[in-house]
Amino acid sequence: MLTKFETKSNRVKGLSFHSKRPWILASLHSGVIQLWDYRMGTLIDRFDEHDGPVRGVHFHKSQPLFVSGGDDYKIKVWNYKLHRCLFTLLGHLDYIRTVQFHHESPWIVSASDDQTIRIWNWQSRTCLSVLTGHNHYVMCALFHPKEDLVVSASLDQTVRVWDIGALRKKSVSPADDILRLSQMNADFFGGVDAVVKYVLEGHDRGVNWASFHPTLPLIVSGADDRQIKIWRMNDSKAWEVDTLRGHMNNVSSVLFHSRQDIIVSNSEDKSIRVWDATKRTGLQTFRREHDRFWILGCHPEMNLLAAGHDSGMIVFKLERERPAFSVSGDSLYYVKDRFLRFFEYSSQKDTQIIPIRRPGSASLNQGPRTLSYSPTENAVLICSDVDGGSYELYVVPKDSFTRGDTVQDAKRGVGGSAVFVARNRFAVLEKSTNQVLVKNLKNEIVKKSALPVATDAIFYAGTGNLLCRSDDRVVIFDLQQRMVLGDLQTSFVRYVIWSNDMESVALLSKHSIIIADKKLVHRCTLHETIRVKSGSWDDNGVFIYTTLTHIKYCLPNGDCGIIKTLDVPVYITKIFGNTIFCLDRDGKNRSIIIDATEYLFKLSLLKKRYDDVMRMIKNSELCGQAMIAYLQQKGFPEVALHFVKDERTRFNLALESGNIQIAVASAKEIDEKDHWYRLGVEALRQGNAGIVEYAYQRTKNFERLSFLYLITGNLDKLSKMMKIAEVKNDVMGQFHNSLYLGDVKERIKILENAGHLHLAFATAKTHGLNEIAEDLDAKLNGEVPNLPSGRTRSLLIPPTPVLCGGDWPLLRVMKGIFEGSLDQVGRGTQEEYVDAADADWGEDLDIVDVNGDISMTLDDDEEANEENEEGGWDLEDLELPTDAETPKASTARSSVFVAPTPGMPVSQIWVQKSSLAAEHAAAGNFDTAMRLLTRQLGIKNFTPLKSLFIDLHMGSHTYLRAFASAPLISFAVERGWSESASPNVRGPPALVYNFSQLEDKLKAGYKATSAGKFTDALKFFMSILHTIPLIIVETKREVDEVKELVIIVKEYVLGLKMELKRRGLNDPVRQQELAAYFTHCNLQQPHLRLALMNAMIVCFKAGNLVTASSFARRLLESNPAENHAQKARSVVQAAERNMKDAAELNYDFRNPFVTCGATYVPIYRGQKHVLCPYCGSHFVVDQEGEICAVCNLSVVGSDASGLLCSTAQIR
């Protein structure tokens, strides 16, 4: 059984496949009807109007309808497109067991526990006939697929066949009145429109199911006596043919397979059984652990079955339908109907070569699975699942391309899979020993090779090479050298397809495709929601593959798309140009013509074959939102422009590609305020003042216009703006414009007219206009404001603009490959914004002519300047032949003003090129730096590193001030920069921390330790520990020195923390223990002597003479100063006189140990412990998952890859 789809739900009592779509209806015991897409595995809809269990459901063959019947005595007809019930048929008086549409007539047959069968007309919504005769519940009633018959099964232990031929005549409207009268009589007094043809008796218990054979005069039935009976019928009688026994409980449902000569049944014994309909023997049994089966459904056209059980349903196939085939050059070898066949692509000639052996086992799924062909020896290897996996070797005679009737005596053998690996050698997988047997054509073992991974299948991977598949990876294995050539982690691979040049391979899984090269280096992965079926490489290196529903393509970079929709699945064998050759599930060769333009266009873009791109754009109808989105995504918005007709999309693409001219044309067509505003923003970014002005004029955005004229120094137009504001009575606009112009008198006049006499006086007085100030003084009657005296006056005069008039100079760049050839749109609108400024802009505003012309035309000399823009450059003409296709630029502006592609920020280059956390921090990418440190060193507490991160970032950048009002310009400072370096090659960032600084801090820490300044020393050592993760060195020797420094500093930090804690304790026993542990830290010799001296004194004073003498002896061994040696000898002598300890310590100097960095207790050799992944400190197991108490950075016991502080480690 090949399970295709499975659901979990309440008990499924009814099932029905849709004849065309991949849908199945399941009616549940809970009263819900579910509509599933079994191909996608999704629930499409649910219908829940029935009250109580729904036992029967059926799709109409051609209409968007289905019918259901339930325990509420109702038959409901639904329209699944409208998602609702159309009407309800009432008449049954008890539970309805099954319902079914007739394949031609507008009839529904229903079976009920009221012991009747009813036939309904769903168009007139009436009951045509009631079939009575059963004397117990009728469990099922089904129409014959071709004839006017109904079969029914009942708990009265009988199967009845009914002739409903008279119904056809009844449904035809009678022509004359006499016939109509006789029909009325029949309706009143019970006409004979359905009669019992046969009553089949033979079951000992109630019959649960009966169904017709699709073509033969056979009936199969299943009953509570656990038996399945086959009945044959002719025109006059019906009789029992055979009984199939095997089920252990009531048989729920049984049917003939629509395409194979088998019977399928299921039962309350939790099994599905498959029987040979001709031999009448059991073929296979499929069992569930806990679920009883209730219903079976068979797809009317495909090789699919469905079974409903207590907790859901399954959709399954009994056998694989993929034909075994092998392609060799211009020919295809494949197996069909127990024959090996040959198909020649060039002539499309299909020939039967030789018959192959039928499998002796009476079981399903024993047909050929794979086929391997050796062209030089004309030999064929066919593998199947017979005997748990076996192969057959046929050598095809050269003259046998005619129908052969005798089966060759093939050479056979047992093996998981077998493939040719050389001209006359083939490899067989022996799963039990996980080795490959290499055999010759005589089926003799030539060589044995153990495989590098646990392999369950082998595939061809070039001469002498095998591709071995395990559950989660594939490897390429060289049989000669017995070595692995490539290794790749994958999901379970089903098929392997090599390109013609053997440079690329596609690994097909159930729902994914992995593309790799011949060494199994991963290129890309595709994921599909629908099952992947087959694939092949075309001549351009594009992988074409099929799913259940589509033919698709995959480009070398992983981009994919749909080429064609399929009605039925096919298996691609070969691709020639635009023709795909494939085999269908019936083993027939088909050729499908495809349109390859889309993927060839994308491939040309990918490989930068712009000439091909141009040709395709001009000659083909490439269009659609998907293509536009693809071009945008790949950075070709200017190409996407030429596929688009919608003006809004054109406008967006034009802005994205910086094509102002097309944006202007589209904005005119759209003519909406928002689009003009966005056009103005983009034009301002490009410094195209003319279009900015035009956009602001169209939206009447006076404030922005005034500011534009201010920054471009266009004082004439600014004064016109002031007049327009005056006419519009816009006082604030008028005042702003006078301020921009530096027109003090106008400002005073505006303030005076607005009634702000005090402000007007202050303005006049400040700017030295004494006469006006006196006039205002008179108007104010002397109540003038007091102006501050003794201060330097700062007059409000606008600054001189940086760039006066005209557009900004733009970088001259080469025209894009697509610009000249494609840019035909907007040809007539290139300079329209210049003329637009000439339009009666004043009239639009309803302004009278105030003090002359204020229509805001561009000056003639400005237009002349724009036309003769190239005059000063002395550009010489190119002497080109007349027939050369020179891209014609529409204007000088369009050839120059092509916005260059912005470069990548240096900080982004640093991040892309580096795996070192310090360089990520220097680039400002703190989050990736933290992720790297977590992965490399297990660091989780970043608080101590915050200031270091900021220092690194600030230290790798410098800042320049341009203008007073402009923001600072940031520059990246590179490590090892020199004037001779190429400007296009970016070096790594300069870092503020280096290894030599740490050496200086280490010396300072040593000095503070010697002086007994433990707090200061601890700060130095902690600083070193926190800085090391952000240090970068050049050589591997320096890497070793950094790692050694971590170990040294860690020992000091641990020792100093214990000593500082000891000094804060009052417990004498704990004080002695901590002093003792300090002596076991790996310290410099002078510091170790001091620690031993300290521990000796502490223990001696506390009366622990034995322990004190152990420290004294260690001290004497370290060659101490004479005064220290004298004290040590005294302690030894005192201890020898009195060999005892006053208190028992948790310390054994004879047993080697390390100290826990958190609890400060000894961890003796052999005890379980955990480590800090960064500093390597030891901890008791309870501390796992806590922040390390020594370095205060990493999580104790976490996984980490290790310190990475040099590019030399990566290389």
Side-chain angles (χ1 to χ4, degrees):
M1 178 194 285
L2 303 168
T3 302
K4 296 294 176 185
F5 173 60
E6 194 161 357
T7 68
K8 299 290 180 197
S9 66
N10 273 334
R11 183 183 302 168
V12 174
K13 299 294 284 183
L15 289 169
S16 177
F17 280 101
H18 196 281
S19 58
K20 294 288 183 284
R21 300 193 182 189
W23 292 353
I24 187 168
L25 278 169
S27 61
L28 311 185
H29 202 261
S30 62
V32 174
I33 302 165
Q34 295 177 332
L35 175 58
W36 292 91
D37 185 319
Y38 54 80
R39 200 173 271 174
M40 295 290 287
T42 52
L43 180 65
I44 298 170
D45 211 339
R46 61 197 302 276
F47 309 90
D48 53 0
E49 287 186 24
H50 275 288
D51 185 15
V54 185
R55 298 178 188 272
V57 69
H58 192 244
F59 267 121
H60 194 279
K61 187 177 179 182
S62 57
Q63 297 295 321
L65 304 175
F66 69 89
V67 61
S68 62
D71 285 7
D72 53 4
Y73 315 163
K74 293 175 182 174
I75 296 170
K76 289 180 177 284
V77 177
W78 311 75
N79 185 312
Y80 55 73
K81 283 188 177 175
L82 302 176
H83 309 285
R84 65 183 180 86
C85 175
L86 298 180
F87 54 87
T88 302
L89 301 172
L90 300 172
H92 279 298
L93 306 173
D94 208 334
Y95 297 171
I96 295 161
R97 294 284 176 173
T98 64
V99 285
Q100 187 195 20
F101 279 112
H102 194 272
H103 58 283
E104 284 178 350
S105 302
W107 298 341
I108 293 168
V109 64
S110 59
S112 169
D113 284 2
D114 64 6
Q115 306 180 14
T116 67
I117 300 152
R118 286 178 180 257
I119 297 174
W120 312 76
N121 185 317
W122 58 265
Q123 286 180 340
S124 62
R125 305 181 187 183
T126 55
C127 178
L128 297 179
S129 183
V130 181
L131 283 58
T132 56
H134 283 295
N135 52 33
H136 208 308
Y137 301 164
V138 185
M139 299 300 286
C140 93
L142 302 173
F143 286 116
H144 192 282
K146 291 186 174 58
E147 298 173 27
D148 290 331
L149 298 174
V150 168
V151 66
S152 61
S154 167
L155 294 189
D156 64 7
Q157 305 180 13
T158 66
V159 175
R160 290 176 181 246
V161 179
W162 310 76
D163 186 342
I164 56 167
L167 271 181
R168 238 179 235 289
K169 297 168 190 168
K170 180 179 179 181
S171 59
V172 178
S173 180
D176 58 40
D177 295 339
I178 299 167
L179 283 173
R180 190 176 288 114
L181 186 62
S182 65
Q183 183 171 317
M184 285 168 63
N185 290 337
D187 287 345
F188 277 118
F189 304 111
V192 226
D193 46 20
V195 293
V196 177
K197 196 169 183 184
Y198 319 114
V199 178
L200 309 177
E201 296 176 318
H203 283 289
D204 301 332
R205 298 266 184 95
V207 187
N208 291 316
W209 201 266
S211 61
F212 287 113
H213 192 284
T215 52
L216 300 173
L218 295 175
I219 293 170
V220 66
S221 61
D224 286 351
D225 59 7
R226 307 175 184 180
Q227 296 176 1
I228 295 159
K229 289 188 182 289
I230 302 171
W231 315 79
R232 181 176 285 276
M233 58 185 181
N234 60 19
D235 291 340
S236 58
K237 62 175 181 175
W239 64 98
E240 183 182 332
V241 176
D242 211 340
T243 302
L244 306 175
R245 295 176 176 85
H247 279 294
M248 314 298 289
N249 206 331
N250 303 341
V251 180
S252 308
S253 184
V254 60
L255 48 78
F256 289 102
H257 196 284
S258 59
R259 301 183 60 159
Q260 292 172 269
D261 205 10
I262 55 178
I263 294 168
V264 186
S265 62
N266 65 12
S267 160
E268 292 178 46
D269 66 6
K270 305 168 191 168
S271 74
I272 299 173
R273 289 179 183 258
V274 184
W275 315 80
D276 188 317
T278 49
K279 296 178 183 174
R280 292 156 198 162
T281 55
L283 290 177
Q284 241 165 331
T285 304
F286 310 106
R287 285 192 171 83
R288 287 185 78 84
E289 264 185 70
H290 306 295
D291 302 312
R292 296 167 296 173
F293 284 101
W294 298 103
I295 184 72
L296 270 173
C298 186
H299 197 288
E301 294 175 14
M302 290 166 65
N303 185 19
L304 280 178
L305 293 161
H309 52 77
D310 279 336
S311 57
M313 65 151 175
I314 49 173
V315 176
F316 60 97
K317 281 199 303 194
L318 293 174
E319 289 193 290
R320 295 172 81 250
E321 295 178 281
R322 180 191 180 94
F325 65 86
S326 177
V327 178
S328 174
D330 186 45
S331 53
L332 166 75
Y333 291 84
Y334 68 102
V335 177
K336 178 186 177 185
D337 300 333
R338 311 296 181 199
F339 283 94
L340 178 67
R341 301 183 70 90
F342 166 84
F343 178 76
E344 194 173 35
Y345 291 114
S346 53
S347 62
Q348 299 201 21
K349 182 182 173 187
D350 196 336
T351 315
Q352 186 169 295
I353 306 175
I354 53 169
I356 59 172
R357 186 177 71 95
R358 287 173 177 269
S361 165
S363 184
L364 296 169
N365 260 331
Q366 301 291 292
R369 286 182 72 87
T370 62
L371 187 150
S372 182
Y373 175 69
S374 171
T376 50
E377 301 296 327
N378 214 28
V380 175
L381 264 175
I382 296 173
C383 298
S384 66
D385 287 341
V386 176
D387 304 327
S390 62
Y391 67 89
E392 294 173 4
L393 174 64
Y394 296 90
V395 178
V396 181
K398 297 287 183 186
D399 58 349
S400 70
F401 284 79
T402 58
R403 180 163 185 148
D405 295 325
T406 55
V407 179
Q408 268 196 28
D409 187 19
K411 295 179 175 65
R412 298 184 183 87
V414 175
S417 51
V419 289
F420 279 104
V421 289
R423 180 176 61 83
N424 55 358
R425 296 282 186 272
F426 64 93
V428 181
L429 173 64
E430 195 176 68
K431 285 188 185 177
S432 57
T433 58
N434 196 44
Q435 61 180 359
V436 160
L437 313 177
V438 180
K439 298 189 177 185
N440 59 21
L441 295 183
K442 294 177 183 176
N443 208 19
E444 299 164 341
I445 297 175
V446 178
K447 184 180 183 181
K448 289 186 179 181
S449 287
L451 291 172
V453 292
T455 304
D456 60 5
I458 54 174
F459 303 91
Y460 177 70
T463 304
N465 295 340
L466 284 177
L467 190 140
C468 306
R469 175 189 78 189
S470 66
D471 285 342
D472 62 342
R473 66 181 342 106
V474 289
V475 299
I476 291 181
F477 182 63
D478 188 319
L479 288 168
Q480 294 292 329
Q481 302 176 47
R482 300 192 180 185
M483 61 182 283
V484 174
L485 303 179
D487 185 351
L488 182 62
Q489 276 203 312
T490 67
S491 50
F492 186 76
V493 173
R494 290 166 172 263
Y495 309 109
V496 175
I497 296 129
W498 288 91
S499 59
N500 297 332
D501 56 7
M502 295 298 288
E503 290 294 318
S504 304
V505 64
L507 307 170
L508 274 58
S509 301
K510 186 187 281 188
H511 289 289
S512 65
I513 296 171
I514 295 174
I515 307 289
D517 68 9
K518 63 181 177 183
K519 298 288 186 186
L520 288 188
V521 176
H522 180 267
R523 286 183 184 162
C524 62
T525 301
L526 292 182
H527 294 283
E528 291 286 343
T529 50
I530 298 180
R531 296 176 190 231
V532 179
K533 285 295 171 188
S534 67
S536 183
W537 296 86
D538 84 342
D539 299 331
N540 300 295
V542 177
F543 186 65
I544 311 294
Y545 64 98
T546 63
T547 65
L548 278 170
T549 51
H550 295 104
I551 300 176
K552 294 184 153 187
Y553 64 84
C554 171
L555 299 182
N557 65 341
D559 290 337
C560 60
I562 295 172
I563 297 174
K564 192 178 179 72
T565 303
L566 294 170
D567 296 327
V568 291
V570 294
Y571 304 94
I572 297 177
T573 58
K574 187 86 172 170
I575 300 168
F576 287 104
N578 283 5
T579 305
I580 291 179
F581 288 96
C582 52
L583 284 166
D584 63 16
R585 283 178 162 171
D586 294 327
K588 293 176 186 169
N589 275 288
R590 293 173 54 184
S591 61
I592 301 173
I593 306 296
I594 60 166
D595 180 6
T597 313
E598 180 184 318
Y599 74 77
L600 290 178
F601 177 80
K602 291 182 178 180
L603 185 67
S604 300
L605 268 182
L606 175 67
K607 296 193 172 178
K608 298 183 169 58
R609 297 180 191 150
Y610 294 126
D611 293 343
D612 293 346
V613 174
M614 290 292 308
R615 181 175 47 75
M616 287 186 205
I617 291 172
K618 287 177 178 176
N619 299 339
S620 65
E621 290 295 319
L622 276 167
C623 60
Q625 289 298 322
M627 184 59 73
I628 293 159
Y630 180 83
L631 288 164
Q632 268 185 288
Q633 178 194 339
K634 296 297 173 187
F636 295 101
E638 72 278 12
V639 185
L641 261 175
H642 303 282
F643 294 104
V644 185
K645 299 289 183 281
D646 177 59
E647 289 297 345
R648 292 174 191 277
T649 313
R650 282 178 67 78
F651 179 81
N652 292 332
L653 287 170
L655 285 194
E656 191 177 331
S657 59
N659 194 327
I660 288 291
Q661 275 68 42
I662 292 181
V664 170
S666 296
K668 280 189 165 187
E669 293 295 326
I670 301 165
D671 200 21
E672 288 180 5
K673 192 170 182 178
D674 177 57
H675 287 73
W676 284 116
Y677 171 71
R678 288 172 58 202
L679 175 66
V681 170
E682 175 59 23
L684 193 60
R685 190 184 71 80
Q686 292 189 19
N688 198 326
I691 290 183
V692 179
E693 179 185 0
Y694 179 43
Y696 289 167
Q697 286 174 6
R698 291 296 293 252
T699 55
K700 302 179 182 177
N701 200 330
F702 302 127
E703 291 82 1
R704 290 178 184 275
L705 263 174
S706 296
F707 193 72
L708 176 72
Y709 294 145
L710 168 68
I711 61 173
T712 55
N714 199 330
L715 300 182
D716 291 345
K717 290 187 178 175
L718 203 51
S719 61
K720 290 178 183 177
M721 287 303 300
M722 187 169 71
K723 290 176 184 176
I724 289 170
E726 187 179 344
V727 171
K728 287 176 61 65
N729 202 23
D730 179 4
V731 178
M732 280 310 295
Q734 199 179 346
F735 185 79
H736 280 147
N737 284 313
S738 61
L739 194 61
Y740 295 156
L741 282 164
D743 190 337
V744 181
K745 289 184 179 178
E746 186 66 28
R747 288 213 308 276
I748 295 168
K749 178 182 165 187
I750 292 164
L751 289 169
E752 189 177 350
N753 291 341
H756 295 293
L757 296 177
H758 294 84
L759 283 174
F761 174 80
T763 305
K765 193 73 176 170
T766 304
H767 288 82
L769 300 175
N770 294 325
E771 291 180 9
I772 299 173
E774 288 172 5
D775 292 344
L776 289 167
D777 190 357
K779 289 181 181 178
L780 286 167
N781 299 322
E783 293 180 9
V784 294
N786 291 322
L787 300 179
S789 57
R791 293 192 183 181
T792 307
R793 294 172 182 178
S794 176
L795 305 183
L796 283 173
I797 302 296
T800 307
V802 178
L803 189 69
C804 289
D807 296 341
W808 290 1
L810 293 184
L811 180 67
R812 183 181 290 272
V813 294
M814 288 294 290
K815 204 170 250 208
I817 183 74
F818 305 110
E819 290 293 322
S821 305
L822 296 175
D823 204 357
Q824 303 299 324
V825 183
R827 179 171 283 212
T829 61
Q830 304 296 351
E831 300 294 335
E832 283 199 18
Y833 63 89
V834 178
D835 302 330
D838 253 341
D840 284 337
W841 191 49
E843 286 180 19
D844 290 345
L845 304 173
D846 299 325
I847 301 173
V848 294
D849 192 356
V850 182
N851 297 333
D853 175 32
I854 55 167
S855 59
M856 299 190 63
T857 58
L858 286 174
D859 297 327
D860 293 337
D861 59 336
E862 283 183 33
E863 291 185 22
N865 285 345
E866 289 193 5
E867 288 169 9
N868 299 313
E869 214 171 55
E870 292 182 358
W873 288 83
D874 293 331
L875 300 178
E876 295 181 14
D877 286 341
L878 291 174
E879 295 180 6
L880 293 174
T882 53
D883 59 345
E885 276 196 29
T886 310
K888 294 184 179 177
S890 40
T891 62
R893 181 185 301 279
S894 69
S895 64
V896 176
F897 293 166
V898 177
T901 308
M904 190 183 290
V906 180
S907 56
Q908 193 174 335
I909 296 172
W910 287 345
V911 170
Q912 281 187 346
K913 293 168 67 175
S914 176
S915 300
L916 301 171
E919 293 185 351
H920 283 251
N925 271 36
F926 292 175
D927 55 340
T928 57
M930 290 193 285
R931 279 201 293 273
L932 283 170
L933 289 175
T934 302
R935 195 161 66 232
Q936 292 165 8
L937 299 174
I939 295 177
K940 190 175 182 182
N941 178 25
F942 288 96
T943 308
L945 302 183
K946 181 179 178 181
S947 60
L948 302 178
F949 272 40
I950 293 169
D951 290 348
L952 279 171
H953 178 54
M954 297 299 289
S956 64
H957 291 76
T958 187
Y959 300 89
L960 297 179
R961 180 180 287 280
F963 301 116
S965 59
L968 293 176
I969 300 170
S970 168
F971 284 93
V973 182
E974 296 169 15
R975 191 161 75 245
W977 180 85
S978 67
E979 289 187 16
S980 59
S982 167
N984 296 322
V985 178
R986 293 295 184 184
L991 301 177
V992 294
Y993 300 116
N994 57 50
F995 190 53
S996 60
Q997 294 169 342
L998 300 189
E999 290 175 332
D1000 294 342
K1001 281 187 180 179
L1002 183 65
K1003 289 173 186 174
Y1006 284 161
K1007 190 174 179 182
T1009 307
S1010 300
K1013 298 176 181 176
F1014 294 152
T1015 307
D1016 295 342
L1018 185 60
K1019 284 180 183 174
F1020 283 124
F1021 290 127
M1022 287 299 288
S1023 173
I1024 294 170
L1025 267 187
H1026 291 164
T1027 309
I1028 285 174
L1030 300 173
I1031 286 292
I1032 294 178
V1033 293
E1034 299 300 327
T1035 65
K1036 287 194 175 180
R1037 185 180 61 80
E1038 289 176 316
V1039 172
D1040 294 337
E1041 289 176 2
V1042 171
K1043 290 181 177 178
E1044 188 181 341
L1045 182 61
V1046 173
I1047 297 166
I1048 293 168
V1049 172
K1050 174 259 293 186
E1051 293 290 332
Y1052 272 87
V1053 170
L1054 176 60
L1056 291 172
K1057 284 192 171 183
M1058 286 194 293
E1059 181 60 19
L1060 288 169
K1061 183 172 182 180
R1062 183 188 71 79
R1063 294 185 175 193
L1065 289 174
N1066 295 322
D1067 181 358
V1069 173
R1070 187 62 175 151
Q1071 280 188 337
Q1072 292 174 72
E1073 288 174 351
L1074 291 175
Y1077 303 154
F1078 191 12
T1079 67
H1080 288 268
C1081 292
N1082 193 0
L1083 308 177
Q1084 294 288 311
Q1085 199 68 21
H1087 302 144
L1088 182 60
R1089 291 191 200 113
L1090 291 169
L1092 286 166
M1093 189 77 185
N1094 179 48
M1096 180 183 76
I1097 293 168
V1098 170
C1099 290
F1100 186 79
K1101 286 182 176 178
N1104 278 27
L1105 300 181
V1106 177
T1107 307
S1109 70
S1110 72
F1111 296 132
R1113 288 191 177 93
R1114 285 174 62 194
L1115 181 59
L1116 289 169
E1117 288 168 6
S1118 68
N1119 195 18
E1122 184 54 37
N1123 61 333
H1124 289 174
Q1126 184 62 42
K1127 286 183 182 178
R1129 282 192 286 270
S1130 303
V1131 169
V1132 172
Q1133 288 168 5
E1136 285 173 349
R1137 288 194 298 270
N1138 186 9
M1139 292 291 288
K1140 67 169 189 173
D1141 278 342
E1144 187 180 347
L1145 303 180
N1146 183 13
Y1147 171 65
D1148 182 358
F1149 59 85
R1150 298 176 193 84
N1151 196 351
F1153 68 87
V1154 290
T1155 310
C1156 172
T1159 58
Y1160 306 136
V1161 296
I1163 303 171
Y1164 293 103
R1165 188 175 293 169
Q1167 287 184 335
K1168 284 188 178 179
H1169 64 279
V1170 287
L1171 296 173
C1172 169
Y1174 168 40
C1175 67
S1177 300
H1178 298 259
F1179 293 87
V1180 293
V1181 177
D1182 294 348
Q1183 291 294 315
E1184 186 169 7
E1186 301 294 327
I1187 298 294
C1188 172
V1190 177
C1191 65
N1192 195 27
L1193 295 175
S1194 299
V1195 175
V1196 175
S1198 62
D1199 290 328
S1201 57
L1203 178 64
L1204 191 64
C1205 60
S1206 172
T1207 51
Q1209 289 171 278
I1210 302 165
R1211 286 196 293 272

